[in-house]
Amino acid sequence: MPARGIPALTTFPYPELDEREEDHWSGAEMSDDELRGLALGAFYSARWDAFHDELLLGPERDHPLGDRRELAIDTLTGAWGITDANEARATMEALLDGMHSPLYALINPLVNASVNASERDRFGERADRHRAFLRQVGSFRGMDNPESLVRDYDIWAQAVKIGFTEHLSRPLPHGIEAWDIARVVAVARMAFTAGYIEAEMAWAYIMRALPQAQRRYRNWRQFGDAYLAGWTFWQATEDLAELKNGGVDRRLELVRLWTRPTSPWRRIELVGSAPKTVEEITVDTTTEEPIVGPPSPEED
């Protein structure tokens, strides 16, 4: 019988996800903010079967592709084109500035307007206006190929229309900053594991990513939803065919992080309980009562 006030631990209600390894904890001592920072990249810790409380990414054990340092080097090279410390730093700076989130912020509202348009507009009038607008934006920004914005618009619209975004929360998140933020942590950990950067530099980037997440999201649910929307947007523009089943798999992995008792997202909250400044106090318009916390995505 559990102690008074302490809920009993129940079995994880998704047997198919229990086929993956348990969440791994090394027991390392770290501050709450350091744990929050690593938890921003918890999806990658789970995928790599790595410790949630260590900077090193990946298991130190026999693996057909090599040890965790070799895996980190291969992933950085193959997926990111990163081969040294300078390239790792440049990539993390780009992610902190917003790598894919600005493009999503431009295209997603247009796609939503087009998909939800009247029947007359559905035959292409509104979409044509959107394409013309995106060409103007591309030209104004001095892009070598403004048509790339039109291509991304058309692909995202297609993904939404044919149901390849059904695994996402509704309405679709306004922004996908979580997608960029989580990858800052992943790249920092891989670059450290590969030996490209020192621990101090890796932690510095992780600690720069944390306040960005805390300003943008109230909790891990919002963060995870935005992360998945970001991956979906990126995957659609990269290879639409890969999106059909991959989205459901990733959604289940997020459910695992949201619900497993041993998950880092259950161990510590995204936003701490420290007193908030006046600017961080918002008002819930449904109750007219003050709510302490960072603004929600809808309020940004």
Side-chain angles (χ1 to χ4, degrees):
M1 180 176 182
R4 182 179 298 176
I6 300 177
L9 291 180
T10 59
T11 57
F12 187 60
Y14 297 92
E16 66 274 20
L17 292 183
D18 271 334
E19 294 176 2
R20 291 190 58 81
E21 292 195 15
E22 295 290 333
D23 294 293
H24 297 287
W25 295 91
S26 70
E29 293 186 7
M30 59 179 54
S31 69
D32 285 351
D33 274 351
E34 286 174 333
L35 182 55
R36 288 187 181 98
L38 290 179
L40 295 173
F43 183 91
Y44 299 97
S45 297
R47 280 287 173 131
W48 286 51
D49 295 321
F51 288 119
H52 289 298
D53 55 348
E54 274 196 7
L55 194 57
L56 290 168
L57 185 61
E60 188 56 81
R61 60 185 174 189
D62 292 337
H63 192 282
L65 298 179
D67 61 20
R68 62 185 170 196
R69 179 173 181 271
E70 293 171 327
L71 289 171
I73 291 173
D74 289 344
T75 302
L76 287 172
T77 303
W80 292 91
I82 295 173
T83 59
D84 58 30
N86 289 334
E87 292 172 347
R89 288 196 299 267
T91 298
M92 289 186 286
E93 291 291 345
L95 287 166
L96 286 169
D97 288 341
M99 184 175 287
H100 292 109
S101 49
L103 181 61
Y104 177 89
L106 173 64
I107 288 176
N108 186 60
L110 299 177
V111 168
N112 282 340
S114 177
V115 170
N116 296 316
S118 66
E119 288 301 323
R120 189 168 67 88
D121 281 333
R122 285 181 188 271
F123 289 101
E125 293 181 7
R126 181 169 297 195
D128 285 342
R129 292 197 297 271
H130 290 164
R131 295 184 185 99
F133 167 73
L134 290 171
R135 291 186 183 98
Q136 289 179 327
V137 170
S139 297
F140 178 78
R141 293 179 177 179
M143 296 177 61
D144 293 333
N145 182 21
E147 286 296 322
S148 64
L149 293 179
V150 176
R151 168 192 172 276
D152 291 340
Y153 169 85
D154 287 337
I155 289 176
W156 187 234
Q158 182 182 7
V160 172
K161 289 176 181 177
I162 63 180
F164 281 9
T165 63
E166 291 302 311
H167 57 277
L168 300 179
S169 61
R170 290 294 190 276
L172 293 180
H174 291 287
I176 58 169
E177 287 84 353
W179 167 241
D180 289 334
I181 291 169
R183 292 184 298 161
V184 173
V185 178
V187 172
R189 295 179 70 183
M190 284 189 288
F192 170 69
T193 304
Y196 294 159
I197 62 176
E198 299 295 327
E200 291 77 10
M201 180 174 292
W203 279 117
Y205 277 104
I206 293 171
M207 289 299 101
R208 286 173 61 189
L210 179 60
Q212 286 193 14
Q214 291 174 323
R215 286 193 297 267
R216 191 70 177 86
Y217 306 102
R218 289 174 182 252
N219 50 52
W220 293 118
R221 181 55 185 256
Q222 288 185 351
F223 183 85
D225 281 340
Y227 169 85
L228 185 58
W231 174 83
T232 303
F233 178 75
W234 167 80
Q235 186 62 71
T237 57
E238 288 289 315
D239 189 345
L240 195 60
E242 291 291 328
L243 188 56
K244 186 174 182 180
N245 297 319
V248 173
D249 176 68
R250 286 177 177 257
R251 182 75 184 182
L252 289 174
E253 191 67 68
L254 288 177
V255 171
R256 186 177 190 267
L257 287 169
W258 283 324
T259 59
R260 281 187 73 92
T262 55
S263 163
W265 289 2
R266 297 291 300 276
R267 177 168 290 196
I268 194 165
E269 70 279 10
L270 173 58
V271 179
S273 57
K276 301 295 187 289
T277 64
V278 174
E279 291 76 11
E280 291 176 306
I281 298 178
T282 62
V283 174
D284 185 343
T285 56
T286 61
T287 63
E288 297 184 353
E289 292 292 330
I291 297 175
V292 177
S296 69
E298 291 76 14
E299 295 165 333
D300 280 3

